[in-house]
Amino acid sequence: MHASFKLLLLLFTLFFNSTIYSQNGELCLTIVPANSFVKISGNLVDLSKVGMPHCISLPVGKHKVEVWSEGFEIHEKEIEVKANDKTNLNMGLNQLSPAYEIYQDELTKYHKTRLKRNLEMGFLSVVDIGITIYAVNVYRGKKIKDSETALELAEKGYESAISVEELAERRFIYQEARTKYNDEIPKHNRRLAVATTSILAAYGLTYWAIQKQKKNKPKKPVFNSVNPLVNISAPTGALQGNTCQFGISINF
Amino acid sequence: MWKYRYLSLVVTFAFFLSSCYQESDDTPVNILDDPSISIFTFEGHTATLAPDGIYDVEVTFSSVYNQLSDEQKARIEGIRVYRNGGVQQPIPPEATSFTDRTVFTLCYELAFLTDGNEISELSEEYCVNL
């Protein structure tokens, strides 16, 4: 009975002391970027479980606050939490990590290369379409066909002529049509040669460019970031916002 | 290097392709415009003295009518006979002779007459000496 009384007294004293001497303060964080990882005094804080503003209860005293976000350097700050007081802390990450800067440079290069490739293919496509339209028109041979038709009509006209005047006039028309047609043939052949060469060259060039692009396909850089806050120490005793229901915390 | 091979192949192909179109040697034929062919050829005549003292003359000739194109045939209405420079009634286009009555020497020329009242080149003059 005496021992039980002593034990009760000891427990009461411990509880009473912890209530009086282990007082807490509140720390309200405003972090930019908002999805940053925050570590306070070695414990990872999950800010997503803390309502806005990110206010958490902390034991009175000095605390080391570390903030990290992907692509940034760790930003550290020491704060002091006072009893029954609210401490506001604004922290913004603005120092990019060297690795991230390299990644960004590579990403810019990648986008530039892709743009260049797309422009190249776009240009070649436009050239191909233009040359195809030109070649189709040449192969249809509207000019030579018009000349042919005119010549055929002139031939028929001449062949059906009877009177002397008619013969003279239609002979002249036929000779004119024949001259035009004969002049048109080498022009048409040149156009055919140019169109064929152009179309083969253009499609060949496009094919070559596609093969070249396939071979030299740029790889999109990937930024593999390692969260240094997680690696430093496992968040076994991660702080939660307002962890203590009674507004007190006991740190052993 | 393969690019040059490819280009030379293309140029060769284009060169051969350029010979696709060639001048056609089809020259239209119009027998009426051929100076080596006579449109009408007089073959002869007969002159018979009639009881009334006038000669019945029949002149025979050949023409190129059957060698003409269908278009030309369709347009020809007949053969115009020029008698001493004067115009006579036309005779059918396929005719190979015509008759006349005269007491003196006559010279004839022939030509095709079209539906548009145009005439072909005149034949050589053929005179019937009585």
Side-chain angles (χ1 to χ4, degrees):
Chain A
M1 190 65 182
H2 181 71
S4 302
F5 177 73
K6 274 185 179 177
L7 185 63
L8 270 172
L9 190 66
L10 177 66
L11 283 171
F12 177 77
T13 310
L14 272 173
F15 178 75
F16 186 73
N17 284 343
S18 67
T19 308
I20 291 173
Y21 299 111
S22 297
Q23 288 187 347
N24 278 14
E26 200 175 29
L27 173 66
C28 289
L29 294 158
T30 306
I31 309 289
V32 178
N35 61 347
S36 300
F37 290 83
V38 179
K39 209 172 191 180
I40 301 169
S41 298
N43 293 308
L44 206 59
V45 181
D46 188 358
L47 291 179
S48 64
K49 289 183 180 174
V50 183
M52 288 288 285
H54 304 305
C55 293
I56 53 173
S57 178
L58 284 175
V60 172
K62 285 186 178 177
H63 292 277
K64 185 183 171 189
V65 179
E66 294 166 281
V67 180
W68 177 86
S69 185
E70 194 178 41
F72 292 94
E73 291 281 85
I74 297 176
H75 190 40
E76 293 177 0
K77 205 164 189 179
E78 211 164 78
I79 51 132
E80 189 171 359
V81 175
K82 292 172 182 170
N84 301 319
D85 196 13
K86 189 177 175 183
T87 308
N88 289 311
L89 177 64
N90 296 324
M91 284 180 84
L93 296 176
N94 52 17
Q95 182 65 49
L96 288 172
S97 69
Y100 192 74
E101 279 177 351
I102 291 167
Y103 162 74
Q104 274 197 326
D105 285 349
E106 282 177 2
L107 196 65
T108 310
K109 272 184 198 167
Y110 167 77
H111 285 305
K112 273 184 185 172
T113 312
R114 279 205 62 181
L115 182 68
K116 197 180 157 190
R117 286 159 62 93
N118 289 342
L119 283 173
E120 193 179 286
M121 286 316 294
F123 173 73
L124 284 173
S125 303
V126 169
V127 169
D128 286 353
I129 290 166
I131 286 175
T132 306
I133 292 168
Y134 169 71
V136 166
N137 281 327
V138 169
Y139 290 136
R140 281 168 70 192
K142 193 180 178 304
K143 282 188 179 177
I144 193 86
K145 277 182 185 167
D146 286 350
S147 298
E148 253 177 0
T149 311
L151 183 66
E152 278 169 18
L153 283 172
E155 273 178 7
K156 277 186 182 174
Y158 172 72
E159 282 172 352
S160 65
I162 294 169
S163 71
V164 180
E165 298 80 16
E166 209 175 42
L167 275 167
E169 185 190 328
R170 294 190 183 178
R171 194 189 305 115
F172 176 74
I173 292 170
Y174 167 75
Q175 281 165 352
E176 286 277 296
R178 167 61 72 182
T179 309
K180 274 189 183 174
Y181 177 71
N182 288 350
D183 287 348
E184 194 57 44
I185 289 171
K187 285 182 191 169
H188 181 70
N189 285 343
R190 267 201 301 277
R191 282 196 292 268
L192 268 181
V194 169
T196 310
T197 312
S198 306
I199 205 162
L200 287 171
Y203 280 101
L205 195 68
T206 308
Y207 177 75
W208 176 70
I210 289 168
Q211 294 302 318
K212 192 182 150 196
Q213 285 203 356
K214 266 185 188 174
K215 272 184 189 173
N216 307 323
K217 202 174 181 178
K219 281 183 183 172
K220 193 176 182 180
V222 180
F223 184 63
N224 291 318
S225 60
V226 179
N227 189 342
L229 298 184
V230 174
N231 280 354
I232 287 167
S233 62
T236 46
L239 286 174
Q240 298 288 323
N242 298 324
T243 45
C244 180
Q245 296 297 316
F246 304 103
I248 55 167
S249 299
I250 304 166
N251 289 325
F252 294 102
Chain B
M1 191 65 190
W2 69 272
K3 273 188 281 179
Y4 298 108
R5 281 184 201 161
Y6 170 73
L7 266 177
S8 60
L9 195 74
V10 166
V11 171
T12 313
F13 177 72
F15 176 76
F16 283 114
L17 191 81
S18 69
S19 60
C20 288
Y21 255 91
Q22 283 185 340
E23 286 184 30
S24 63
D25 294 327
D26 295 341
T27 312
V29 176
N30 191 333
I31 207 164
L32 300 179
D33 198 30
D34 188 343
S36 66
I37 295 173
S38 299
I39 302 170
F40 296 98
T41 308
F42 286 97
E43 290 177 346
H45 69 274
T46 55
T48 314
L49 186 62
D52 55 0
I54 300 170
Y55 281 96
D56 286 322
V57 178
E58 188 182 8
V59 179
T60 54
F61 63 92
S62 63
S63 76
V64 293
Y65 181 76
N66 287 330
Q67 296 171 53
L68 295 178
S69 67
D70 290 340
E71 288 91 348
Q72 285 173 314
K73 280 181 184 171
R75 288 183 59 208
I76 289 172
E77 278 207 331
I79 297 169
R80 175 171 278 177
V81 181
Y82 290 87
R83 183 191 189 207
N84 283 352
V87 178
Q88 298 283 91
Q89 277 292 334
I91 56 172
E94 62 273 12
T96 55
S97 67
F98 62 90
T99 55
D100 201 0
R101 284 172 65 78
T102 184
V103 287
F104 49 87
T105 298
L106 286 173
C107 289
Y108 296 100
E109 285 173 306
L110 300 174
F112 285 119
L113 178 70
T114 70
D115 49 7
N117 215 27
E118 292 172 309
I119 53 158
S120 68
E121 196 179 355
L122 288 174
S123 67
E124 287 179 354
E125 198 176 54
Y126 182 77
C127 294
V128 175
N129 296 308
L130 299 171

